[in-house]
Amino acid sequence: MVATFSVQAQKVGLVFSGGGSSGISHVGVLKVLEENDIPIDYVAGTSMGALIAGMYAIGMSPAEIEELVLSPDFEQQAKGIISDEYIYYFKSKEENSSWVTLRFNRDRDSIFKTSLPTNIIPPYSMDFKLMEQLAGPTAACKYNFDSLFVPFRCVAADAAKKEQVIFRNGNLSQAIRASVSYPLYLKPITVNGRLLFDGGLYNNFPADIVLEDFYPDIIIGSTVAGEMRPPDENDLFSQVKSLVMSRTEYSVICENGIIIEPIIDDVPLFDFSRNKHLVNGGYAGAMEKIEEIKAAISRRVSKEDRAAKRAAFRSKIPELAFDKIYINGLNRYQAGYVRRVLRPKTEEPISAEKLKSNYFKLVADDKIKHIYPLAKYNSETGYYDLYLDIKRDDDLIAQFGGGFSSRSINHAFIGAEYKWLGSTAIGVSANSYFGKFYTSGQVRGRLDFPLSLPFYLEAGITLSQWDYFTSLSTFFEDRKASFLVQNEQSTEFNIGLPGTRKSKILAGVSLARIINEYYQNNDFTASDDADRAVFRVISPFLSYEVNTLNRKQYANAGRRFTLRGRYVEGYESNRPGTTAPYDGTVEAIRKWFQTKLTYDNYFKSRGKLRLGVYFEAAYSSAGFFANYATTTHMAMAFQPIPESVTLFMQDFRSNLYAALGLKNIFRIFNSLDLRVEGYAFQPYRRIVPKDEFFTEYKDEIEFPLFIGSAALVYNSPIGPVSLSFNYYQDQEKPFSLLFNIGYLIFNKRPLE
């Protein structure tokens, strides 16, 4: 039945509820209203409703808003992902096996105070986009929301005072950002000294505000919130919602009001992968009510009139370029460091795109914990002033992690880092790995210089021991004595320079002492004395690295390219043990050059399937060492899957090889992947034993060797949990089944 109202020249208010990703359906409602020339004189919203209402209020058409919410950038911002083009790999550090990071800062009441994360997604991409989109319209309306294309209201929540905060004026990006700050998901922001959260906590459907502020003749409401359900014991956000959110009356609370309910499935609160479905659901829900709306509202606004009004408002928006930079939260030396990152060359105004590029360089700096940008138009200069609220990262960071496996390769990891930010940035870190297979300790220091050509200087000392087993023993099996123990002591000095945004150039020198204790056959006993080979080397190196992989292990998106070269010169002292066929220590000067190229790329997915390709090529002029065993110890290794790093396989070591791999990753759920990978390893002139103990090259080229892996991987918030079935051709035990919790990532080796 269609309602009728005898109302002429009505003023119409439009209200959008909050509701997480379901609020995207409000875009479909806007499409229907404009297609039918329904006037919209006032608009208000909460949370996602505030974002959609705000985009409309600044003069974006429903088609433009739809294009925005369907773009990959929108989903990335909603998930806290920084777009590939703004990733700044230069600031990256070596990866490790950490699962959990705890931060400690100095506090007046105690020496150190623990700092835990307050949000799941990083807000940086969203914060800059809101500033970029809304600074101009804020300037055009002169900070009065009644002077926007359509007068606008939104709601945030002051949890301390337990009351709603209504935004009628001010900075539009601040207002909307406050309204969407869902507890634990997105970090709250401070506005005028008040810490503000998602407006849905106290008013998820601000029809009452539209009525009180504008007193329209008719209010059209679009609600996706529905009834508040009981909390789910397995859903953290439903528990938070039940604890802090007040019940809201989802009615238009005026005599002439119409409620639209988008026709959508039950979409998870922060699932932004189905935005097209949500827009269509809003469209369908509005179409069910359109005849009632048209009967209730006699006034119409033509497309031409709307377009003219939009053009008139947009013509008042000043171009976005920045002049002065004001920084809150840092001392003058730290603020100077930030300014040099943001504007390294000149004091002249900086374009929005250039600022954006430098802003994400600052975001990538691990000395910066939090940054919130705000733009204010300066009518005297004609430019915007940038206000940054910045918190430096905590002084001391502790990390914990490791890898726990069904094989005897278990290890625990602990790490610590002290950070200091002044006119330069200094970081001092230390870590330790503890395990039967791998033990290591490392200390590193790094100085970052934010010049027009930024660079860093780094030095480190690493002590490691690798203890390889004679069998693929499980956690519960006894094992024989080790057939190879490698001890590595290295000191490294390097300088890092940015290449492109996604790459860096590293140059330096390594000083190392490598000790290999080993047996020359598999018939050794516990009473046998191992051979002992000692290498003292100096090795200058140069590398070029590109990395946009989305995970440090078991990635399924992005790419990595590395090209490394090093010259090695050193002294070999090889003392035979009881399994050697000769007596007398072999001593020699060794010199060689080695280089390795690695390319790892994951292509865009087709539905749930994602394909990847892997290529590796290596060359070394090292030649032969004292015996076959030592020659293979020093040869370059092909180790494409996590477990292979823990195995010593002579057949997959060579001084010259190329390898190709294909990966098929089937995403069962967002965090659960089935990976099927295959690799072909082709050495040139395979290293083989001569007279059992010495070395020669096999002249003929044989068929390649294969490595295969099928793994089920759950990427938990603290790290991967994997079950893999692996195959290594021509090995004594070619098949392995490995269950592993955590990472198989170790400190970099001295000649890597």
Side-chain angles (χ1 to χ4, degrees), residues 15 205-208 219 221 223 248-254 257-259:
V15 182
F205 189 66
D208 57 331
I219 294 178
T223 175
T248 299
E249 181 66 30
Y250 295 100
S251 68
V252 289
I253 65 168
C254 72
I258 298 171
I259 288 287

Side-chain angles (χ1 to χ4, degrees), residues 671-713:
S671 298
L672 184 63
D673 291 344
L674 175 62
R675 305 175 65 96
V676 179
E677 306 175 37
Y679 302 87
F681 170 78
Q682 181 64 69
Y684 174 71
R685 301 184 72 192
R686 190 189 305 274
I687 299 172
V688 294
K690 177 183 179 182
D691 300 328
E692 188 176 356
F693 297 101
F694 301 103
T695 316
E696 65 180 353
Y697 284 127
K698 198 166 189 178
D699 288 332
E700 64 269 21
I701 298 178
E702 298 179 335
F703 288 109
L705 297 176
F706 292 94
I707 293 177
S709 177
L712 195 63
V713 183

Side-chain angles (χ1 to χ4, degrees), residues 182 229-233 235-243:
Y182 197 92
R229 299 177 180 178
D232 185 336
E233 64 179 277
D235 186 344
L236 176 62
F237 289 116
S238 73
Q239 297 168 25
V240 172
K241 182 177 180 180
S242 180
L243 285 171

Side-chain angles (χ1 to χ4, degrees), residues 708-723:
S709 177
L712 195 63
V713 183
Y714 172 62
N715 294 288
S716 77
I718 61 172
V721 179
S722 63
L723 177 64

Side-chain angles (χ1 to χ4, degrees), residues 47-67:
S47 194
M48 183 58 72
L51 178 63
I52 303 302
M55 295 300 108
Y56 188 79
I58 66 172
M60 292 181 70
S61 68
E64 289 171 327
I65 301 173
E66 181 178 22
E67 183 181 3

Side-chain angles (χ1 to χ4, degrees), residues 3 137 382 395 407 429 439 451 468 482 504 524 545 550 584 633 713:
D395 301 303
R407 275 186 49 219
S429 64
T439 303
L451 305 179
Y468 294 96
S482 304
K504 68 178 177 180
F524 60 88
E545 305 172 7
N550 63 334
H633 298 163
V713 183

